[in-house]
Amino acid sequence: MVMLNTSFGYLRSLIKKELTLDELENLLFEMGFEIDSAKGDEISIEITPDRPDLLCPHGLARAINVFLGVEKKDYKAKKSNVKIIVEDSVG
């Protein structure tokens, strides 16, 4: 697991719904993460390494806001001229 160390107050300021530390802990558990430690205002949150987008307070807050339904993100793919060529020797 990878740890996100941040201030609970700062993370809470980025979340668009008031949450207590217990509510945040339950919410993170529902999302598949957990608070490893909480000392004063500092918290350490275990994040799975396959989610590098959540390794900063802003990324985690965005995911929490979407999970709570207080923010909606629509990502649309666009056509690109990028080509990936894999040589036969690779595989």
Side-chain angles (χ1 to χ4, degrees):
M1 288 291 197
V2 181
M3 295 297 219
L4 167 61
N5 298 311
T6 188
S7 155
F8 175 59
Y10 182 63
L11 180 61
R12 192 169 52 182
S13 74
L14 300 171
I15 299 171
K16 297 177 180 178
K17 181 180 178 186
E18 280 294 319
L19 294 174
T20 66
L21 185 58
D22 287 337
E23 291 170 331
L24 176 63
E25 186 169 26
N26 291 333
L27 180 64
L28 289 170
F29 183 77
E30 288 181 43
M31 294 174 69
F33 312 113
E34 65 180 84
I35 294 178
D36 182 61
S37 67
K39 295 178 183 164
D41 192 48
E42 296 300 311
I43 58 174
S44 294
I45 303 168
E46 287 187 29
I47 305 290
T48 56
D50 63 334
R51 293 299 308 265
D53 58 317
L54 305 181
L55 294 178
C56 68
H58 290 272
L60 183 59
R62 177 190 41 77
I64 289 171
N65 286 328
V66 171
F67 188 81
L68 291 172
V70 295
E71 184 175 298
K72 184 177 179 186
K73 292 287 181 184
D74 288 327
Y75 298 99
K76 296 181 181 172
K78 296 180 182 179
K79 290 207 176 236
S80 169
N81 292 327
V82 175
K83 293 182 182 181
I84 298 174
I85 301 170
V86 179
E87 295 181 10
D88 291 336
S89 63
V90 175

